[in-house]
Amino acid sequence: MTQNPFFSPSTLPYELPPFAEIREEHYLPAFERGMAEQLAEIQAITADPAPPTFENTVVALERSGALLRRVENVFFNQASADTNDAVQAVDAEISPRLAAHADAIHLDRALFERLETLYGQRAELGLDAESLRLLERYRTRFVRAGALLPEADRERMRDLNQQLAAAATAFEQNVFADTAAAALVVGSAEELSGMSPDEISAAAGNGRALGHDGAYVLSLKNFSNQPALASLDDREVRRRLLEASLGRGLESNAGLVARMARLRAERAALLGYDSHAAYAVADQTAGTTEAVSEMLARLVPPAVANAEREAAALGAAMGDGVPEAWDWAYWSEKVRKAEYDVDAAAMRPYFELDRVLRDGVFFAAEQVYGVTFSERPDLVGYHPDVRVFEVFEADGTPLGLFLGDWFARRSKRGGAWMNSLVLQSRLDGRRPVVVNNLNIAKPSPGEPALLTFDEVGTMFHEFGHALHGLFSAVRYPFFSGTAVPRDFVEYPSQVNEMWAVWPEVLANYARHHRTGEPMPAALVERMQQAERFGQGFRTVEYLAAALLDWAWHTLPAGADPGDMAEFEAAALAKAGVAVPAIPPRYRSGYFGHIFAGGYAAGYYSYIWSEVLDADTVEWFREQGGMRRENGEVFRRELLSRGGSVDPMEAFRGFRGRAPEIGPLLERRGLAG
């Protein structure tokens, strides 16, 4: 084997991983050496005969594991964005080993004793604010990992963590396989009536790529309601598509879901919490399960009432019919077209991907923050679809790299996300390298990539995460970029969505891909009015998923959730969101956020963060909108600080007060 490219730092600009050199066989040796190196570094800290100091303990701990971080950042992005059998095999093997490795550090008594000594002396150490917070956060992390437990409980904690890591990997791989297998195959273009010609062409290309020559294939997105439901005229095809989506994981993941819920509840009980939700929320901005439960309960009645009004409008449009789940999106588009003269399909020619990117996403960032972007075709990504851009400050100072991977493919999981490939840190002099992943259907050769308006919003949203990583200006990698509480991390990305509909931004990118004509002003106005219709559906769909997550993770230790489907139905009914025509945005069997990601007992964070987001949008409007001065304040007070300050203190410092829920209620049509 050639020299493993992970064994030394990359020599490419910004330490961009050398993707052209990386092979699947490099991962496992790099993980193994990375773990061994970090354990040796930890042993050197604990063996130091000198009394613990901030430098020889906390900073040394922060510097440890450099090789392991390099391989983790690259591997787990590939495992999501461009996987294969070899990568999945490594994932299945390494995930429980990484959990054991983390426990070997967090449950190391000698290391914790040094941290505890420093924690007890923290008032006399003369630390600056970020260093003091680092010491406090490390101590909290170790305690929450079980550092204070007796040895028998620590052993059980190790076992639980390894079981959960293995189960999460199995869950994710099952969803990946089920999603691929559940793709809807139809034999004729007529069955796709209602879809645009380029969408039908893309479905034919997808069929060829997946071995269904002559057929048309609609691959599934990771959420419940599939985009094609809004346009397919054939009701039976719509039903088949939605049922394929909802059926994922019913067999493959049912046992895993119940098992993971039990294991998480047991782990929380070991640490003295009533449930996994109580454990998770204690370290979030919400603070208590009561605070989360109260907010969600407050939103349910007006959201359901709003959805019922929408259902009545759909029924009237159907001719006094009763909309089924597979009818909702289709007839919603009919109502929008009739009431607001807005046709979603007719809008797509105004949203060509490259124009949205350069004249929308990048343009907004330049106007608000002064940053500019230059494509670097000389730098190679991990897949041919990946594009690399260098990012510069207003004065030309290099800031970092942004990678964009926008197209769906068989090797990529569904959804959209941001990852950091290199963490910004003044401690080691590194500047950020971040990537955005979306799942836009790749057009046929020579055809433009045209987006739905929802995909435009997703593009702005994920770029908000990217800016959070790019603008990071912290000393310690522990705090870099998006390393903030889970119920705060969506806040900056949701704020960035506002620029998608900001008049001067929309006018700059919403142009017909053939004629260059701007989207008519009247259509823009009608589009914004039409967005209000459907808030009931979207809110109920989201709340159902958030409350489902909450039900799984408020189970006490020892409780048996029983059958997954029965538990889900009972939980939705109890929460008041069992609306037959509105399935949860994610059902349990494919709810990767909570069973394979970091959102267990945290899916509420999207709407919790939206309270801050809506309040911040009001602030921008009050301060004159898209002004560099406003962007500089938001960047300085929030985006640049990562986890180096208490996030709610940062928000109060920025806004001048605590957040208010009124703007959110108004936005979602729930006020009054």
Side-chain angles (χ1 to χ4, degrees), residues 59 120 127 131 147 151 157 210 245 359 471 477 528 539 584 628 637 645 669:
V59 173
L127 300 176
S131 297
E151 185 56 37
M157 181 67 72
L210 297 178
S245 177
D359 296 341
F471 287 159
Q528 292 173 329
T539 306
R628 277 289 307 283
E637 299 297 329
V645 296

Side-chain angles (χ1 to χ4, degrees), residues 629-667:
E629 296 91 335
N630 294 341
E632 289 304 317
V633 171
F634 190 57
R635 176 177 176 176
R636 181 181 66 248
E637 299 297 329
L638 282 157
L639 296 181
S640 68
R641 307 184 78 175
S644 66
V645 296
D646 178 89
M648 294 309 293
E649 287 182 12
F651 180 88
R652 284 188 288 269
F654 157 71
R655 192 66 172 99
R657 56 167 172 75
E660 295 179 355
I661 199 173
L664 168 69
L665 298 177
E666 179 65 28
R667 172 192 289 184

Side-chain angles (χ1 to χ4, degrees), residues 421-437:
L421 297 173
V422 178
L423 293 171
Q424 177 276 329
S425 164
R426 294 199 306 272
L427 182 69
D428 51 29
R430 289 191 173 93
R431 289 175 291 185
V433 178
V434 303
V435 58
N436 275 175
N437 266 278

Side-chain angles (χ1 to χ4, degrees), residues 82-429:
D82 190 27
T83 194
N84 55 42
D85 290 344
V87 169
Q88 291 190 354
V90 173
D91 198 359
E93 177 175 348
I94 206 65
S95 290
R97 292 174 65 181
L98 287 172
H101 175 73
D103 283 338
I105 295 171
H106 296 139
L107 300 179
D108 185 312
R109 285 197 181 278
L111 180 59
F112 181 66
E113 285 172 3
R114 293 178 73 91
L115 284 174
E116 193 76 330
T117 297
L118 292 170
Y119 183 76
Q121 300 170 348
R122 63 192 182 282
E124 292 82 44
L125 296 178
L127 300 176
D128 61 79
E130 186 176 344
S131 297
L132 177 60
R133 183 166 173 80
L134 182 66
L135 170 58
E136 292 172 343
R137 291 305 301 163
Y138 260 124
R139 198 260 181 184
T140 297
R141 174 179 287 186
F142 275 63
V143 170
R144 286 175 58 80
L148 294 176
L149 294 176
E151 185 56 37
D153 288 345
R154 289 148 69 93
E155 281 303 310
R156 181 57 179 160
M157 181 67 72
R158 292 184 179 95
D159 181 48
L160 290 170
N161 287 336
Q162 290 181 58
Q163 289 188 58
L164 282 164
T169 300
F171 181 98
E172 183 173 39
Q173 294 185 358
N174 289 342
V175 172
F176 184 85
D178 285 4
T179 298
L184 183 67
V185 181
V186 299
S188 69
E190 288 73 23
E191 292 175 272
L192 301 183
S193 170
M195 296 179 69
S196 67
D198 62 287
E199 289 174 311
I200 294 174
S201 174
N206 196 30
R208 290 190 295 273
L210 297 178
H212 297 281
D213 288 348
Y216 301 79
V217 178
L218 299 180
S219 292
L220 300 180
K221 305 292 187 182
N222 65 336
F223 39 76
S224 298
N225 280 282
Q226 300 299 305
L229 293 170
S231 54
L232 287 167
D233 291 326
D234 190 319
R235 193 181 193 215
E236 177 61 16
V237 174
R238 296 200 306 269
R239 183 192 64 79
R240 288 169 54 202
L241 179 61
L242 182 61
E243 290 187 350
S245 177
L246 298 178
R248 290 172 290 169
L250 282 176
E251 295 183 6
S252 61
N253 279 335
L256 279 173
V257 163
R259 180 165 166 259
M260 290 178 75
R262 289 194 300 269
L263 292 173
R264 285 171 174 166
E266 181 184 350
R267 183 175 61 183
L270 276 180
L271 294 166
Y273 293 91
D274 294 336
S275 65
H276 178 77
Y279 165 76
V281 172
D283 202 38
Q284 304 297 312
T285 66
T288 66
T289 55
E290 291 76 15
V292 176
S293 297
E294 181 181 343
M295 181 195 66
L296 295 176
R298 178 178 177 180
L299 296 174
V300 167
V304 171
N306 199 357
E308 289 172 346
R309 290 191 291 271
E310 292 171 4
L314 301 184
M318 295 170 67
D320 294 323
V322 177
E324 299 284 356
W326 47 86
D327 297 319
W328 196 293
Y330 181 79
W331 286 100
S332 288
E333 289 305 316
K334 298 292 187 187
V335 169
R336 288 191 184 96
K337 187 171 177 61
E339 294 292 325
Y340 305 101
D341 194 20
V342 170
D343 182 349
M347 291 164 56
R348 294 181 72 244
Y350 294 96
F351 301 137
E352 189 271 323
L353 188 150
D354 208 57
R355 183 135 207 169
V356 173
L357 174 68
R358 294 184 181 278
D359 296 341
V361 174
F362 288 173
F363 171 77
E366 183 174 2
Q367 296 301 302
V368 180
Y369 304 110
V371 291
T372 59
F373 303 83
S374 177
E375 191 154 9
R376 292 288 304 267
D378 58 310
L379 297 179
V380 177
Y382 52 86
H383 185 277
D385 286 346
V386 177
R387 296 164 65 183
V388 183
F389 299 83
E390 190 168 11
V391 189
F392 299 92
E393 298 280 15
D395 63 2
T397 302
L399 179 63
L401 292 179
F402 168 71
L403 282 66
D405 184 0
W406 291 288
F407 293 124
R409 53 180 169 266
R410 195 175 187 180
S411 61
K412 183 191 284 191
R413 71 171 172 85
W417 66 95
M418 169 267 193
N419 281 339
S420 289
L421 297 173
V422 178
L423 293 171
Q424 177 276 329
S425 164
R426 294 199 306 272
L427 182 69
D428 51 29

Side-chain angles (χ1 to χ4, degrees), residues 407-604:
F407 293 124
R409 53 180 169 266
R410 195 175 187 180
S411 61
K412 183 191 284 191
R413 71 171 172 85
W417 66 95
M418 169 267 193
N419 281 339
S420 289
L421 297 173
V422 178
L423 293 171
Q424 177 276 329
S425 164
R426 294 199 306 272
L427 182 69
D428 51 29
R430 289 191 173 93
R431 289 175 291 185
V433 178
V434 303
V435 58
N436 275 175
N437 266 278
L438 274 67
N439 264 279
I440 296 164
K442 191 172 185 178
S444 299
E447 295 297 317
L450 303 181
L451 312 187
T452 66
F453 189 58
D454 280 347
E455 288 170 334
V456 171
T458 300
M459 205 166 181
F460 276 85
H461 175 99
E462 294 304 329
F463 195 70
H465 286 306
L467 289 175
H468 202 180
L470 287 166
F471 287 159
S472 179
V474 299
R475 182 182 312 157
Y476 303 111
F478 189 104
F479 296 132
S480 185
T482 58
V484 296
R486 182 64 66 186
D487 58 7
F488 194 82
V489 74
E490 297 298 334
Y491 161 50
S493 56
Q494 289 171 326
V495 168
N496 204 62
E497 292 179 41
M498 81 168 124
W499 306 123
V501 294
W502 205 263
E504 55 258 56
V505 180
L506 187 64
N508 203 54
Y509 75 82
R511 292 177 174 270
H512 198 283
H513 72 97
R514 287 200 178 94
T515 68
E517 290 295 312
M519 181 181 283
L523 177 56
V524 172
E525 184 177 350
R526 293 195 306 272
M527 178 185 73
Q528 292 173 329
Q529 291 172 346
E531 276 295 292
R532 190 69 173 252
F533 183 83
Q535 283 293 350
F537 174 92
R538 287 190 287 271
T539 306
V540 170
E541 178 194 48
Y542 165 77
L543 287 173
L547 287 159
L548 191 55
D549 169 31
W550 206 238
W552 283 113
H553 293 115
T554 50
L555 288 169
D560 182 3
D563 178 77
M564 181 181 75
E566 291 177 4
F567 178 89
E568 181 176 286
L572 296 175
K574 182 179 179 181
V577 287
V579 181
I582 307 180
R585 184 163 177 81
Y586 301 94
R587 293 190 67 188
S588 303
Y590 50 92
F591 204 162
H593 283 74
I594 67 171
F595 291 114
Y599 282 81
Y603 197 67
Y604 76 89

